[in-house]
Amino acid sequence: MKQRKLFWTAAFLVGAHLMAGLAGFFAPYHYAAQDRLHPYASPSLPHLMDCSGKIHLRPFVYGIRNKQGSFTDYQPDCSAQMPVHFLVTGEEYSLFGLIPSSLHLFGVSGPGEINLLGTDAFGRDQFSRVVYGAQVSLLAGGLAGVLAVFAGVIVGTISGFYGGVVDEAAMRVAEIAIAVPSLYLLLAARSFLPLEISPLMAFLLVISVIGLLSWARPARLVRGLVMSARERNFVLAAQGFGASKSYVMRRHLVPMTFSVALTQLAILIPQFILAEVVLSFLGLGIGEPFPSWGNMLAEAQQYHVLASCWWMLLPGLAPVPFFVAYHALADALQKKTKVNL
Amino acid sequence: MSSSAVQSSRTASLLRAEGLHVEYAAADGARVCALRDVSFSLEPSQSLGILGESGSGKSTLALALMRLLPSNATFTGKIEISGRDLPWLSSSQLRRVRGAELALISQEPALALNPVLSIGRQISDVLRAHSDVSKKEGARRVCEILEQVGFEHPERVMRAYPHQLSGGQKQRAALAQALVCRPSLLIADEPLSSLDTVTQAEVLDLLRRLKHELNLGMVFISHDASALSTICDRVLVMKAGQTAASGTWEQIRTSSDDYVRGLQFTSGASCSDASSRISPPVLNAAPVLEVRNLSKTYVQRQMLSREKFEIRALEDVSVRLMPNATVAVIGRSGSGKSTLVRCIAGFEIPDKGEVLLEGDPVQKRSSVQMIFQDSSTALNPRFTAVQLVAEPLEIARAGSKKERIERALDLMAEVGLEKSWHSRNAAEFSGGQRQRLALARALAASPKVLILDESLSGLDLSLQEQILKLLLDLHARHNLSYLFISHDLRFLPMFAQQVLVMEAGRIVDQIAPNKLWTSSCPATRLLTRVNQQLHARHAEVHS
Amino acid sequence: MRSIRPITPSFLLACLLLPASLARPEGRQQDLLKVSVPVGHPGGVLVVSQSSEPKTLNPVVAVDQPSRDVIRRMTADLVHINRATQKTEPALARSWKSNREGSQFTVELRRGLRFSDGAPFTADDVVFSFQVYLDEKVHSPQRDLLLAGGKPMRVEKLGPYTVKFSFVAPYAPAERVFDSLAILPRHLLEQGYKAGKINQVWNLTTSAEKIAGLGPFRLKQVLPGEKLVLERNPYYWKTDSQGQILPYLNELIFLTVPSRDAQVVRFRAGETQIITQVSAENYSALLADQQTGRYKLYDAGPGLEYNFLVFNLNDDVKGRLPAIAQKQTWFRDQRFREAVSLAIDRAAIVRMVYQGRGVALATPVSPGDKLWFDSDIPIPEYSPEKARKLLQAAGFSWNSSGALTDSSGQPVDFSILVNSGNVQRSQMATLIQEDLKKIGINVHVAGLEFRSATDRVLNSHDYEVALMGLGRGDADPTPDMSVLSSDGDIHLWNMGEKTPATPWEAEIDRLMRKQQVTPNYAERKKLFDRVQAILAEQQPMIFLASPNILTAARDGLENVRPAIMDNYILWNADELFWHTPAGKH
Amino acid sequence: MIRYLSRRLAHGVLLLAGVSMLLFVFQKAAPGDFFLGMRLNPELSGQTLQGLRAEYGLDQPLPQRYARWLGSALRGDLGPSFAYNLPVTTLLWPRIKNTLLLSVPALLISWLIAIPLGLLAAWRRTGWIDRIFSGSTSTLLALPDVLLALLAVLLALRTHIFPVGGMTAGTDAGESTAGLLQHMVLPVFVLVVGSVGPLLRQVRASAIEVMDSSYFRAAQGNGLGRTTLLFRHALPAAANPLISLFGLSAGFLLSASILVEVIMSWPGMGPLMLEAIFGRDLFVVIGAVMISTLLLVLGNLLADVLLYFCDPRIRVQS
């Protein structure tokens, strides 16, 4: 049963990441496509019944037009019915940045747009941006998580295996790494990057810095594990066969940390996804026009958005299914780890 | 108690189990049957022994009787305690039965006591859960029971925490906790297996005494027939979750079933047979292993404390091991045996003294190999069998990968493992097979000296015998010298040429094995006496 | 939520203070200033939010807006710029005379005035104040404005109420620089000044009785990080037309509310009573429920802030930053700059970023600057077609994928550096990115936090194009010299250039220097118009838009006359009053 | 004990020194200094700013500045704030108080919720209760603090039950406890919701470990009641990792609420720290981090002392 749960959560996560990777297909529009006539349009949900009460078989959305004297208040335009189609050709995009395509999962025919989650200040489709934003947020979480765990396993293994002065030094440095706020370093890191690299690259580099800086916690865990592991009989036995230190670490100790590392990864990735939100909130996140869950949510701190555009808060909920899945994965891994050890 | 007495007078049975059936849902969704149609009954103040090899479902039976099965287990069957149907009790009724009428002591007393609560509190909590006693009265009763289980200073024990007690004391405290409410039935799940022989004898004595004093009904679970035979009226033999035999000792003893017999007796014949094959040690040659004046002191520092504790684990210990010889080291737990072998194997660095291999300080560590007590910890669970055996070769960079695998397979065959098992993980082998695997792997390192650190004590009697036979075989074939660590003296005469008795880090007696029972050294005499006590019935049978 | 207490402390205070202020202790003649505004009732409390807390109460060192906003309510100047008319008018100086060339001013002070602690105000205080401001060791930010021709002004006391100021050269804006130069109480500060500790006095931990000024309010209490409470100065020197001593309000409370959006939230919830500045989007949101919210919104028209793109034309990047130096060949071409300007949809910026509450700009001077705006200069039109033609004429072409390439086939792309903390400017950058894509220019928007961005523009010059905004604090061209003159401190497009790099820059330098010494307004205006025309033609900076000054106040607050200078709504705090005397909302 | 504590304190001092040095280096690495921010003001000349820089010693080389700062820090003076012209300690103290006013109750409430709920979840570890539990803790963890705080503001704005921000009403002088409590409700609530998720998981995990142990099964087998089992037996045994976590959380008392404070305009360390970091008000940042680090050190020390009293294995000598 647990195996099955593990399988399904892993399958969900793979699927969700794939969906983010295939954002071009799932998103009806490009993330940067502006519709300057319709900023802050509220979500347009597909209808089956039109203004006159007639039922249609194919779902459709209405176009919108500005209310008198306002830039951001709209009313549905009953005269512009736009049926929803599936697998339509639309704007060009490239899958994984390689395969050019113009096929989209769904879209509407007609002059207007379908905005399942409304539009933002530039009239950009929020749904498309959430889907594309997943790329940035998940990539950020994954990248930083992998780096943190990787660095943590290396430092933790060495520190736990050698003990003594090496361990003492590593742990003192770890304390410092935990105590220092990374914000300061981020300012430095971001400002040193050349400007001509794209905001996406710049952001990924910044998030990598965060990841590398977060080695301390996984390192402590791995260290504890290695410290107990190096006293285990099979490690002693290997040494009894005359094994070198590097052999013992490579063959016995590091593999033993894998499950802890994997669990840490499943715990850290969500944390880094949230870190991205905080960074964006402070204006240190990914730059325009790239969407991320964080910089989309950051817009909601503006009063007018908060007070009158509730849909702008929705990107804040996007991480929820991922977190549930990641935590389920972490739990399942933890249980598995326990059985194995 | 009075109500149960009334009921029991009607049904006349203290415990009746009928058709017990337990299945576990395994992680991969499969169902594993741990207990299959087991039935028995027990009259008040009677005791029933449950005998079986490890994995035969004994512990599942104990948990089922307590209704403490884990959540992935499904139970069917009928259990009546003093006429009440246990599986149908509500959780609050069940709570009232547990501890008051029915109590459990389990395998590992160190794990059965909450490490952060004082003994007194743990016992009085049980008392207070079942009867409305005042604090003072409670303390008195706790004191009383502690005295009854043989503590001399119950007040001190009440304030103590589990880690301050020795293994035997812990088991006694656990016993006090189980018995404080005067239950009519005690389920003892391998209460001896984690104790050293001396303590085993003490606890066994105590149980016998309490059984009489308290009129206790008892279900005693063990893999050790000789210990069981000293306390149980009747016995139930289990095999793979099923009843293999049951009845009085007389009936069991005369059973024709090989399994049932194997659990009780060693066929001394095969052993002596093997010992005849033992090549005599070369006495005049230089010792293959010489340990000179080894001393080792551990310093323990308490967190938050300035004081240091010095534990003198070894004091001026010297050992000489001749080629092809076997030296046994015996002693109570904590006498320094393990430290000695760890120093020899190079896992510890002694403070003083030296370890010489063929006259030189040990150069190649692989020449001295160690077989650990619990082989499951000595084998990396991630490795397959062939990887495990080939590991010493890989480390020594001996031959090509193919050659190494071939050699490993040969070694597996030599120790009696099927070559076709090569891709199994260590966990997929049984205890005895794992010990063979460990041997094969030690041999792969072509050692001169093999240290056997209680290598037999985790195994059932029949398995012990098989491994011993294998050891004797290998001894001859590979020109090995054995350093044999044990607290069980039964096999020594057939095996060792010399016995060293250790106590408190020193060697207090050096003696030939056949003179063990006549030694004048008090430590040796204690060990021999206890062994005799524990295995009294066994000895009887053997003779 | 809040219970109505029978006697609020502030009400009690009003009762106590009122008789005291009516019965002035001396019968001596006082030069009070009578202002003609609608007459109000005394009493009440006004709560206003500030985006960060004041850093100091010391006028000599204060540079940040929150500190200045508070200090200006507590102090007074000799000559004051009327925020509504943008012209100077008498304040502590009853009158002043200047010599013909405009280099010497003789100021007659009002008599019989008192500081808020009751100490009398004389010429000595004026002389002391200027001594402090001009002291080089003090590093007062005000000093720089008091220099003409690089030399400090001289201050002489001619009598107990007469002071003479002289500059070494004619100084056209002289009158205006007296504005907001707080006159300091010599009796409280001289000791600190002599001890060399003038920078440390009057900080947020100083007790209220040690701080005094000539402004309408005086300090009552500081709750660090939270709020600062001012109370009515009973010795203030302005009266309304009926002779009531101003100010009307009993207390003025500055609440620290870190973000502009949170300020709106607090206002909307009724916890503050005015907002100094509202963003256009928030303004629209507030407008929607103005009725239920019981507040009024004010649009004071275009302010003095101007947003612009600036091209990196610094010479020192050559060799040091080759990639940028290469792009500078495009940037140096006036036709390229103009094409970029033509491709930017300024109307869309005004509409999308300012919700229509702003104006497109052709020069740094917005129409809000009543005295210096030149309506003859047209706003650059939005025409990607014209931009394309211009680029073609300048030797650019487009490759097969539609990207603009220069004559050597190099694709034209650049990054726009923007302060990521500024929502409006980030939005502008996003819009411009989209606009320039239409003429084939690929733009990266590089958002950096404020100081990192500023460091690149001012110090390292490691940027290509920057989107920035500057505020013109005073409606006068002189402070613009530091941007426009080629030797200016923040001559953004070419920092630290020794001599003007181009003839048109030389021309700007000449015109700016000339206007500074021309006393006649009409002549100065002509000179500055010419400067604006050159800027509009050469476009070293592409001026984009200027937001309207939008403010809001709760219903019942009277005499609210928002202006585009200084603190937009509090500038006449002494005249504000609650329609209902208790001032309850 | 004294020897141990002094060793830990020495570690703490080492940590403080390391952190401060690192901050100096970082600060140097981040471009621009405090006074750069004033340069875009057309009224200020570069010369004046240069003078101000010199006055604060910003023109000196880094090691020299660090040495000077270290010297004064040892005397208890953490340097001046450039922006406020005040000693950092004077500046920080009231804000630390305000922040603790939020974070300490939030911390305590979170633990008070997490312990019984976590124990219960561990007890009822199968079936739908567990699914709801893990689903809701994951959701709690997934909701960014930013979103929670914004939702709280929205709630306050729509319902008018609670004030939308700040510590006291604008017109209050700040003495009324009732008013203060009213203002505390929402931010504390947001902090609790934001922090209770991981605690719940931790409590549950530790408790499960204990409940899987044979001594717990033995206690169950002895017929102890549920409350006794959970609170008298499971909780003390599961306490070790929780106490360490509790000690660790002391280090975040000052920083955990930064975003909430900013969004809900609580006059604590949050707004000040952000302003100081972005404004390069060096000594304010260093001072704040120093105090945070000190809390971390003290928190760990406190955890050790608590462990000493809670865990007899540490306390009693064998």
Side-chain angles (χ1 to χ4, degrees), chain A residues 1 18-19 29 94 103 130 132 140 144-145 161 167 170 201 207 209 225 231 250 260 288 292 296 321 329 337-338:
Chain A
M1 200 193 96
L18 210 62
M19 179 168 167
Y29 307 103
S94 59
L103 192 68
V130 167
Y132 274 105
F161 183 72
D167 179 44
M201 283 309 295
I207 202 86
V209 171
L225 191 71
E231 293 300 321
R250 199 178 66 238
V260 167
E288 286 284 356
S292 79
M296 295 177 74
L329 191 68
T337 314
K338 231 182 243 167

Side-chain angles (χ1 to χ4, degrees), chain A residues 136 140 181-191 193 199-208 210 275-288 292 294-295 298 301, chain C residues 418-422 426 446-453, chain D residues 30-31 259 274 277-278 280:
Chain A
V136 173
S182 48
L183 204 54
Y184 230 161
L185 189 76
L186 282 182
L187 290 183
R190 178 65 189 91
S191 328
L193 296 173
L200 184 63
M201 283 309 295
F203 174 71
L204 290 180
L205 282 171
V206 167
I207 202 86
S208 309
I210 299 191
E276 188 272 328
V277 173
V278 174
L279 279 186
S280 291
F281 188 82
L282 299 176
L284 296 171
I286 187 166
E288 286 284 356
S292 79
N295 69 13
Q301 63 180 305
Chain C
V418 63
N419 167 13
S420 56
N422 187 308
S426 301
L448 287 185
E449 54 88 33
F450 174 66
R451 272 180 178 73
S452 303
Chain D
L259 287 182
L274 275 193
I277 287 180
F278 284 110
R280 312 279 197 274

Side-chain angles (χ1 to χ4, degrees), chain B residues 63 66 68 71 94-96 98-100 102-104 106 108 111-117 121-122 125-126 129-130 161 163-164 177-178 300-307 309, chain D residues 1-5 126 210 213-226 228 231-234 236-237 240 304-305 307-308 310-318:
Chain B
L63 294 178
M66 292 299 290
L68 280 173
S71 55
L94 187 67
R95 190 181 73 66
R96 264 175 264 142
R98 285 176 182 163
L102 172 68
L104 174 77
S106 57
E108 183 65 78
L111 299 177
L113 295 169
N114 193 323
V116 299
L117 300 180
R121 190 170 142 184
Q122 294 192 52
D125 268 356
V126 177
H130 294 290
Y161 289 91
H163 68 275
Q164 293 168 291
Q177 191 187 23
Q300 271 191 345
R301 228 183 240 119
Q302 293 270 298
M303 189 184 184
L304 301 180
S305 163
R306 190 199 284 245
E307 283 163 69
F309 296 88
Chain D
M1 174 103 184
I2 290 164
R3 181 200 162 103
Y4 172 78
L5 286 182
T126 48
V210 171
S213 69
S214 38
Y215 59 81
F216 188 79
R217 208 172 303 137
Q220 231 178 322
N222 283 323
L224 299 191
R226 186 168 69 180
T228 320
F231 289 93
R232 273 172 72 89
H233 285 243
N240 273 9
D304 286 340
V305 173
L307 275 178
Y308 177 77
C310 289
D311 193 331
R313 282 165 293 187
I314 296 169
R315 179 170 16 128
V316 185
Q317 300 154 4
S318 45

Side-chain angles (χ1 to χ4, degrees), chain D residues 15-48:
Chain D
L15 179 62
L16 285 171
V19 168
S20 63
M21 210 180 306
L22 217 59
L23 284 174
F24 261 85
V25 174
F26 283 0
Q27 185 273 343
K28 183 75 183 170
D33 61 15
F34 173 77
F35 297 101
L36 180 70
M38 300 182 189
R39 269 201 68 189
L40 282 183
N41 185 341
E43 295 169 12
L44 280 173
S45 78
Q47 268 171 342
T48 306

